[in-house]
Amino acid sequence: MTKANPAWSLPEDLLARIAARAPGYDADNAFCAEDLAELRAAGWLRIGVPVEQGGSGLGLAATARLQQELAQAAPATALGLGMHQVWVQAARSVSAQGGSFLQAVTDHAADDHLLAFGVSEPGNDAVLFDSSTTAEPDGDGGYRFTGTKVSTSLAPAWDVLSVFGKDTSGPEPRLVHGFVLRSDGDVEHLDDWDTLGMRATQSRTTRLLGVHVPAERIVRSLPVGPTNDPLVFGIFAAFELLVASVYVGIASRAVDLAVTAVSGRAGRDGVPRSQDPDVRRTIADVRGAVDAVALQVGSLARSVDEGEDLGARWFPLLVGTKARTVDAAQHVVDEAMRVVGGRAYAADSELARLARDVRAGQYHPSTRDSAARTIAAAELGPLA
């Protein structure tokens, strides 16, 4: 295992400034540019980079804990910048399995370059297992990519964008993965991110206009359909658990806000709300729900770090943990709003913003339905 720097942490004053900016980003539907600048300066983009390359060497479990902490201050900032951490942790996973094809990812992160995903496509429920984007060979090992990507987090600011598409020029179609640099051109972002929540991610629609990726930036060619390739596993594990960590952070913050609210408010009889048995039961239940999913995410992330061989159980566990965490977080936020009362419904209430942000979780892969299909197939076999 790569040596880690256990002293790295998110400075309290930085978290306070990030939390203070979050309402403005949300109200203005603006990208979290100042957050990115400060986090980059603090070494956030390098936390998963090996120490020998100037990073902190943090694994998936430590990164997940930091994601939870950042999400308590600003969920959208944590979700958006978490996409960079997904790539860094995917590269760590590939390296731990003896692969070197994502070394460029680690090198970019070591240079404080911001990495983003150009994977999701409209109508493509297969996600990493198929693509509607065209990958046209250039004859020299490179490709030109043409297609539309959606939910491209960090659209205003990425330095390096992952892309993948389908090459149908051979006897069998192949899914080709590579990386685009901002300077390459032939990439267009639409200014179309105006959503209920998670507004500061600015996850805009991206058009690939025949952008050329040379051979040295093509990292993988895989068959269409499910595969246990180290690239797919690395992305999948890091994505599911780091996204889940954001929702753990949201839920934890909602409980804290509810505790503060009921502790500082009395009923008509002068008795503090914190002494109401129904309120106490609700607070106990939601804190228990947060603890349960936090432990699941942490345990599974440690299993990734330790290279535990869970075989066919890996994918059901990953998708199930993400789906359960999102559902639990939405329940916790809703219950927190209920016990706090009408003040939580105000447009400028932090709980109201969390109630909008938390609903984004149901749209990130894997969705609840997709997770259920994966788990059912693992238990009952594939559908006929």
Side-chain angles (χ1 to χ4, degrees), residues 83-100:
M83 295 302 103
H84 171 91
Q85 303 299 354
V86 170
W87 265 123
V88 175
Q89 291 301 317
R92 284 179 61 88
S93 175
V94 167
S95 178
Q97 296 180 66
S100 60

Side-chain angles (χ1 to χ4, degrees), residues 95-285:
S95 178
Q97 296 180 66
S100 60
F101 57 85
L102 288 186
Q103 181 59 43
V105 166
T106 303
D107 295 342
H108 280 300
D111 290 335
D112 282 331
H113 296 162
L114 184 64
L115 293 138
F117 274 89
V119 170
S120 297
E121 298 165 340
N124 179 15
D125 293 335
V127 195
L128 284 171
F129 299 146
D130 201 354
S131 177
S132 57
T133 295
T134 299
E136 181 183 357
D138 66 1
D140 293 317
Y143 286 83
R144 293 191 178 277
F145 292 84
T146 303
T148 298
K149 305 291 185 176
V150 293
S151 298
T152 312
S153 296
L154 309 171
W158 58 261
D159 300 302
V160 184
L161 177 70
S162 73
V163 294
F164 91 121
K166 186 157 57 178
D167 174 12
T168 58
S169 63
E172 298 290 338
R174 304 285 293 181
L175 297 175
V176 181
H177 296 258
F179 289 94
V180 171
L181 306 182
R182 178 72 77 166
S183 58
D184 287 337
D186 292 327
V187 175
E188 177 187 22
H189 292 298
L190 306 185
D191 188 7
D192 61 349
W193 189 251
D194 188 8
T195 51
L196 180 68
M198 293 297 188
R199 290 157 69 82
T201 67
Q202 288 300 301
S203 303
R204 302 173 183 178
T205 298
T206 300
R207 290 176 178 165
L208 306 177
L209 308 174
V211 60
H212 182 243
V213 179
E216 61 269 20
R217 284 194 259 126
I218 298 296
V219 296
R220 216 64 173 159
S221 174
L222 301 172
V224 173
T227 173
N228 289 325
D229 186 84
L231 174 67
V232 173
F233 176 80
I235 293 173
F236 208 86
F239 183 92
E240 296 294 277
L241 296 178
L242 292 182
V243 166
S245 295
V246 172
Y247 292 90
V248 172
I250 290 174
S252 183
R253 178 61 177 164
V255 177
D256 290 345
L257 291 170
V259 168
T260 299
V262 301
S263 298
R265 180 183 174 192
R268 293 180 63 185
D269 56 4
V271 177
R273 288 269 290 156
S274 59
Q275 299 302 303
D276 183 320
D278 293 331
V279 169
R280 296 176 71 84
R281 175 59 183 267
T282 297
I283 294 297
D285 286 348

Side-chain angles (χ1 to χ4, degrees), residues 57-77:
L58 300 187
L60 185 57
T63 302
R65 288 192 296 271
L66 289 169
Q67 276 288 93
Q68 293 170 28
E69 192 175 350
L70 182 57
Q72 290 181 60
T77 294

Side-chain angles (χ1 to χ4, degrees), residues 26 38 40 110 169 188 230 249 275 288 297 339 365 380:
D26 179 70
E38 288 207 64
R40 178 181 259 142
S169 63
E188 177 187 22
Q275 299 302 303
V297 171
V339 298
L380 303 171

